[in-house]
Amino acid sequence: MFPVSTVVPVDIRGSNLIIASASANALGCITVNMPPRALRELEYLVKPLIILLTIDLEHPCSAKAALCLMTLMRSRMCITRFVEESGIRIVSNIFNAILSRGSDLDLKTPSTYRTILEYLSTVYREVAKFYPWEIVDVGCLRHNVLLLTHGDSHLQTTAAATMAVLSKDLEICKQMFTNGAIKPLLNVSNPLYANEACLLAGLGCVTQLCK
């Protein structure tokens, strides 16, 4: 296997997004199977990937960067670096930009936007384990409510899992009420429609909310 450093997305502020996209794709293929302990050595990748993520949401490079960030978030050290580089705020802004498209947005049909949200919703879930209030403060609850309401089963499962992590804090549970999370969580907790993972996550949230 070639060294990871050879595929770092260099010169991503330039015009050749094809090369940057290919580089990010190669990184994703490498890091997806790496153990968390090995990923901690790759924290230096977080900043260039965040930059690549924000260049053009309609370009495949954004989805590739989101994929890489998702795989790196299995490392606590990479999560810390992500927070230090204002990654939470940037991801929130991307959610706002995509979800604000309203009726023009289809979260059930495969698309670049849907793929980006799929990867970044997983980033939310991993970051929530260590920085719950940081992602709540940037609108994570509202974003997850929209994913639960309009997303496909995969997006709903990830959103419900994030809510389950956040619901461990009773103060955050109170905010779930004000953000309209109750009905969507009950809907995805229906065994007639939800898959097992989504059902368990949804029921976990409901149990916490009942406290």
Side-chain angles (χ1 to χ4, degrees):
M1 179 182 296
F2 49 89
V4 172
S5 59
T6 63
V7 291
V8 176
V10 294
D11 296 327
I12 56 180
R13 292 185 182 275
S15 59
N16 197 335
L17 295 182
I18 295 177
I19 295 177
S21 181
S23 178
N25 187 61
L27 279 171
C29 293
I30 295 172
T31 56
V32 69
N33 293 317
M34 292 178 65
R37 183 174 295 275
L39 290 175
R40 64 186 300 174
E41 304 296 331
L42 304 180
E43 62 169 316
Y44 64 90
L45 296 175
V46 172
K47 183 174 182 179
L49 287 171
I50 290 176
I51 296 173
L52 181 60
L53 176 67
T54 59
I55 288 180
D56 184 356
L57 292 180
E58 296 185 358
H59 195 282
C61 66
S62 289
K64 302 300 184 183
L67 169 63
C68 289
L69 286 171
M70 179 189 73
T71 61
L72 291 177
M73 291 304 101
R74 291 182 291 121
S75 162
R76 174 69 183 275
M77 188 168 292
C78 289
I79 290 176
T80 301
R81 183 66 173 268
F82 177 78
V83 174
E84 293 173 350
E85 297 293 345
S86 301
I88 293 177
R89 174 63 63 182
I90 290 170
V91 167
S92 172
N93 290 340
I94 291 174
F95 267 93
N96 289 333
I98 295 178
L99 294 176
S100 65
R101 296 175 64 86
S103 58
D104 294 334
L105 180 64
D106 183 357
L107 295 182
K108 296 183 179 179
T109 302
S111 66
T112 299
Y113 285 143
R114 189 216 157 278
T115 299
I116 291 173
L117 292 183
E118 175 185 341
Y119 296 147
L120 294 186
S121 63
T122 304
V123 170
Y124 261 159
R125 185 192 67 197
E126 296 304 311
V127 175
K129 297 175 182 178
F130 306 103
Y131 298 93
W133 278 104
E134 283 79 356
I135 66 170
V136 168
D137 289 341
V138 298
C140 172
L141 295 179
R142 178 174 57 84
H143 300 153
N144 281 320
V145 167
L146 291 173
L147 295 181
L148 288 169
T149 304
H150 303 291
D152 59 13
S153 61
H154 189 89
L155 289 173
Q156 288 177 337
T157 300
T158 307
T162 303
M163 291 295 213
V165 173
L166 294 173
S167 65
K168 295 177 182 179
D169 188 310
L170 295 183
E171 289 300 316
I172 294 179
C173 283
K174 295 178 182 178
Q175 291 203 24
M176 289 185 183
F177 279 94
T178 59
N179 280 272
I182 309 307
K183 184 177 180 180
L185 284 171
L186 289 174
N187 288 339
V188 300
S189 301
N190 188 334
L192 296 177
Y193 305 106
N195 59 51
E196 182 177 350
C198 190
L199 174 63
L200 291 175
L203 290 176
C205 290
V206 173
T207 301
Q208 289 294 103
L209 291 170
C210 289
K211 296 181 179 181

